[in-house]
Amino acid sequence: MALVSATEMLTKARDNHYAVGAFNTNNLEWTIAILKAAQTKNAPVMIQTSMGAAKYMGGYEICVAIVKTLIETMNITVPVALHLDHGDYEAAKKCIEVGYTSVMFDGSHLPFEENLEKTKEIVALAHAKGISVEAEVGSIGGEEDGIIGAGELADPKECKIIVDCGIDFLAAGIGNIHGKYPDNWAGLSFDRLDEINKATNQIPLVLHGGSGIPEDQISKAINLGVTKINVNTECQLVFAEATRKYIEAGKDLEGKGFDPRKLLKPGVDAIIACVEEKIEWFGSTNKA
Ligand code: 13P
């Protein structure tokens, strides 16, 4: 199946009360792992690159080429969207040009009026090419790839105004944090999520910082309108742990154990298992 925009898969998810997993990729192995897991679970999926990860991979064009080519060579039949995560204005424009099927314009750190104006411009450019757009108000806590957010509860009135710009889905801070959650984390603010959900008239809502949120909170969030859930750190942690175990067991020193195809396999298998588990939690198994 060709790459698709995220609009249809998220609208379907919203109407049927499940969420689509949006998994950050970092390289070829990561991308293969996410696609394999989604195909096994027969689930729609979003593969997303931060600006930093895309730079690391060699640029936006190569990310498009990798995902498009793998969909063909791996015979992937589930719907896949390639999404820019936390893009600035220039990155969003670039991704619209080179073949991403979905972009996030993150103007949450800008004055609200400027966020609004730039979001409108990105919506016009993206929609002219059938590309979906995510916007953000109320920054997500923590740090991701150099993007630092103080973490705040989004203002439902601002959410409504930005949704009226014609965006396709909205990231709104509800106490969620990128990276590991601290032991004293208060949990998601369901009261605020409920208010945002009511104010934004059924637009799919995006939960950033999906790593480490307990399953019961994920289910509750989905019931209150969350439709796209971003996961990055958890895949990185399981990859690192599996790779460390392999090396600490001295397996890289046995025979050809140093071959990257062997050395990276436990980590890749761990990502596959992690993505499959999240898809199960999000309720998107067999929803392709
Ligand atoms: P985690 O790294 O906390 O899973 O967050 C991912 C994310 O929200 C990407 O935008």
Coordinates of all heavy atoms in Angstrom, one line a residue, residues 244-279:
R244 N 22.7 -4.0 25.4 CA 23.7 -4.1 26.5 C 23.8 -5.5 27.0 O 24.9 -6.0 27.2 CB 23.2 -3.2 27.6 CG 24.2 -3.2 28.8 CD 24.0 -2.1 29.8 NE 22.8 -1.4 29.8 CZ 21.7 -1.9 30.4 NH1 21.7 -3.1 31.1 NH2 20.5 -1.3 30.4
K245 N 22.7 -6.2 27.1 CA 22.7 -7.6 27.5 C 23.5 -8.5 26.6 O 24.3 -9.3 27.0 CB 21.2 -8.2 27.5 CG 20.5 -8.0 28.8 CD 19.3 -8.8 28.9 CE 18.5 -8.4 30.1 NZ 17.0 -8.6 29.8
Y246 N 23.4 -8.3 25.3 CA 24.1 -9.0 24.3 C 25.6 -8.8 24.5 O 26.4 -9.8 24.5 CB 23.7 -8.5 22.9 CG 24.3 -9.2 21.7 CD1 23.8 -10.4 21.2 CD2 25.5 -8.7 21.1 CE1 24.3 -11.0 20.1 CE2 26.1 -9.3 20.0 CZ 25.5 -10.5 19.5 OH 26.1 -11.1 18.4
I247 N 26.0 -7.6 24.7 CA 27.4 -7.3 24.8 C 28.0 -7.7 26.1 O 29.0 -8.3 26.2 CB 27.7 -5.8 24.5 CG1 27.4 -5.5 23.1 CG2 29.1 -5.4 24.9 CD1 27.6 -4.0 22.6
E248 N 27.2 -7.5 27.2 CA 27.6 -7.9 28.5 C 27.8 -9.4 28.6 O 28.6 -10.0 29.4 CB 26.7 -7.4 29.6 CG 27.0 -5.9 29.9 CD 26.1 -5.3 31.0 OE1 25.1 -6.0 31.4 OE2 26.3 -4.2 31.3
A249 N 27.0 -10.2 27.8 CA 27.1 -11.6 27.8 C 28.3 -12.1 26.9 O 28.5 -13.3 26.8 CB 25.8 -12.2 27.3
G250 N 29.0 -11.1 26.3 CA 30.2 -11.4 25.5 C 29.8 -12.0 24.2 O 30.7 -12.6 23.5
K251 N 28.6 -11.9 23.7 CA 28.2 -12.5 22.5 C 28.8 -11.9 21.3 O 29.0 -12.5 20.2 CB 26.7 -12.5 22.4 CG 26.0 -13.3 23.4 CD 24.6 -13.8 23.0 CE 24.1 -14.8 24.0 NZ 22.7 -14.6 24.3
D252 N 29.2 -10.6 21.4 CA 29.9 -10.0 20.2 C 31.3 -10.5 20.1 O 31.9 -10.4 19.0 CB 29.9 -8.5 20.4 CG 30.7 -8.1 21.7 OD1 30.4 -8.7 22.8 OD2 31.5 -7.1 21.7
L253 N 31.8 -11.3 21.1 CA 33.1 -11.8 21.0 C 33.1 -13.3 20.5 O 34.2 -13.9 20.3 CB 33.8 -11.7 22.3 CG 33.9 -10.3 22.9 CD1 34.5 -10.2 24.3 CD2 34.8 -9.4 21.9
E254 N 31.9 -13.8 20.4 CA 31.8 -15.2 20.0 C 31.6 -15.3 18.4 O 30.7 -14.7 17.9 CB 30.6 -15.9 20.6 CG 30.7 -16.1 22.1 CD 29.3 -16.5 22.7 OE1 28.4 -16.8 21.9 OE2 29.2 -16.5 23.9
G255 N 32.5 -16.0 17.7 CA 32.3 -16.2 16.3 C 32.2 -14.8 15.6 O 33.0 -13.9 15.9
K256 N 31.2 -14.7 14.8 CA 31.0 -13.4 14.1 C 29.9 -12.5 14.8 O 29.2 -11.8 14.1 CB 30.5 -13.7 12.6 CG 31.6 -14.2 11.7 CD 31.8 -13.1 10.7 CE 32.9 -13.6 9.6 NZ 33.2 -12.5 8.7
G257 N 29.9 -12.7 16.1 CA 28.9 -11.9 16.9 C 29.0 -10.4 16.8 O 28.1 -9.7 17.2
F258 N 30.1 -10.0 16.2 CA 30.3 -8.5 16.1 C 29.6 -8.0 14.8 O 29.5 -6.8 14.6 CB 31.8 -8.2 16.1 CG 32.6 -9.0 15.0 CD1 32.6 -8.5 13.7 CD2 33.2 -10.1 15.3 CE1 33.2 -9.2 12.7 CE2 33.9 -10.9 14.3 CZ 33.9 -10.4 13.0
D259 N 29.2 -8.9 13.9 CA 28.5 -8.5 12.7 C 27.3 -7.7 13.1 O 26.5 -8.1 13.9 CB 28.1 -9.7 11.9 CG 27.4 -9.4 10.6 OD1 26.7 -8.4 10.5 OD2 27.6 -10.3 9.7
P260 N 27.1 -6.4 12.5 CA 26.0 -5.6 13.0 C 24.6 -6.3 12.8 O 23.7 -6.0 13.5 CB 26.1 -4.4 12.1 CG 27.1 -4.7 11.0 CD 28.0 -5.8 11.6
R261 N 24.6 -7.2 11.8 CA 23.3 -7.9 11.6 C 23.0 -8.8 12.8 O 21.8 -9.1 13.1 CB 23.3 -8.8 10.3 CG 23.3 -7.9 9.1 CD 23.7 -8.7 7.8 NE 25.1 -9.1 7.8 CZ 25.7 -9.8 6.8 NH1 25.0 -10.1 5.7 NH2 26.9 -10.1 6.9
K262 N 24.0 -9.3 13.5 CA 23.8 -10.1 14.7 C 23.7 -9.2 16.0 O 22.9 -9.3 16.8 CB 24.9 -11.1 14.9 CG 25.0 -12.1 13.8 CD 25.8 -13.3 14.3 CE 25.6 -14.5 13.4 NZ 26.5 -14.6 12.3
L263 N 24.7 -8.2 16.0 CA 24.8 -7.3 17.2 C 23.5 -6.5 17.4 O 23.1 -6.3 18.6 CB 26.0 -6.4 16.9 CG 26.3 -5.4 18.0 CD1 26.9 -6.1 19.2 CD2 27.3 -4.4 17.5
L264 N 22.9 -6.1 16.3 CA 21.7 -5.2 16.5 C 20.4 -6.0 16.6 O 19.4 -5.4 16.9 CB 21.6 -4.2 15.3 CG 22.8 -3.2 15.2 CD1 22.6 -2.3 14.0 CD2 23.0 -2.4 16.5
K265 N 20.5 -7.3 16.3 CA 19.2 -8.0 16.2 C 18.4 -8.1 17.5 O 17.2 -7.8 17.5 CB 19.5 -9.5 15.7 CG 18.2 -10.2 15.5 CD 18.4 -11.5 14.8 CE 17.1 -12.2 14.4 NZ 16.1 -12.4 15.5
P266 N 19.1 -8.3 18.7 CA 18.2 -8.3 19.9 C 17.5 -7.0 20.2 O 16.4 -7.0 20.6 CB 19.3 -8.6 21.0 CG 20.4 -9.2 20.3 CD 20.5 -8.6 19.0
G267 N 18.2 -5.9 19.8 CA 17.6 -4.6 20.0 C 16.4 -4.4 19.1 O 15.4 -3.9 19.5
V268 N 16.6 -4.8 17.8 CA 15.5 -4.7 16.8 C 14.3 -5.5 17.3 O 13.2 -5.1 17.2 CB 16.0 -5.1 15.4 CG1 14.8 -5.2 14.5 CG2 17.0 -4.1 14.9
D269 N 14.6 -6.8 17.7 CA 13.5 -7.6 18.2 C 12.8 -7.0 19.4 O 11.6 -7.1 19.5 CB 14.0 -9.0 18.6 CG 14.5 -9.8 17.4 OD1 14.1 -9.5 16.2 OD2 15.2 -10.8 17.5
A270 N 13.5 -6.3 20.2 CA 12.9 -5.7 21.4 C 12.0 -4.5 20.9 O 10.9 -4.3 21.5 CB 14.0 -5.2 22.3
I271 N 12.4 -3.8 19.9 CA 11.5 -2.7 19.4 C 10.3 -3.3 18.8 O 9.2 -2.8 19.1 CB 12.3 -1.9 18.3 CG1 13.5 -1.2 18.9 CG2 11.3 -0.8 17.7 CD1 14.4 -0.5 17.8
I272 N 10.4 -4.4 18.1 CA 9.2 -5.0 17.5 C 8.2 -5.4 18.6 O 7.0 -5.1 18.5 CB 9.6 -6.3 16.6 CG1 10.4 -5.9 15.4 CG2 8.4 -7.1 16.2 CD1 11.0 -7.0 14.6
A273 N 8.8 -6.0 19.6 CA 7.9 -6.5 20.7 C 7.2 -5.3 21.4 O 6.0 -5.3 21.7 CB 8.7 -7.3 21.8
C274 N 8.0 -4.2 21.6 CA 7.5 -3.0 22.2 C 6.4 -2.4 21.4 O 5.3 -2.0 21.9 CB 8.6 -2.0 22.4 SG 8.1 -0.4 23.2
V275 N 6.6 -2.2 20.1 CA 5.6 -1.6 19.2 C 4.3 -2.5 19.2 O 3.2 -2.0 19.2 CB 6.2 -1.4 17.8 CG1 5.1 -1.0 16.8 CG2 7.3 -0.4 17.8
E276 N 4.5 -3.8 19.1 CA 3.3 -4.7 19.1 C 2.5 -4.6 20.4 O 1.3 -4.5 20.3 CB 3.8 -6.2 18.9 CG 4.2 -6.5 17.5 CD 4.5 -8.0 17.3 OE1 4.2 -8.8 18.1 OE2 5.1 -8.3 16.2
E277 N 3.2 -4.5 21.5 CA 2.5 -4.3 22.8 C 1.7 -3.0 22.8 O 0.5 -2.9 23.2 CB 3.5 -4.4 23.9 CG 2.7 -4.3 25.3 CD 3.6 -4.3 26.5 OE1 4.7 -3.6 26.5 OE2 3.3 -5.0 27.4
K278 N 2.3 -1.9 22.3 CA 1.6 -0.6 22.3 C 0.4 -0.6 21.4 O -0.6 -0.1 21.8 CB 2.6 0.5 21.9 CG 3.7 0.8 22.8 CD 3.3 1.3 24.2 CE 4.4 1.4 25.1 NZ 4.0 1.5 26.5
I279 N 0.6 -1.3 20.2 CA -0.6 -1.4 19.3 C -1.7 -2.1 20.0 O -2.9 -1.7 19.9 CB -0.1 -2.1 18.0 CG1 0.8 -1.1 17.2 CG2 -1.3 -2.6 17.2 CD1 1.4 -1.8 16.0

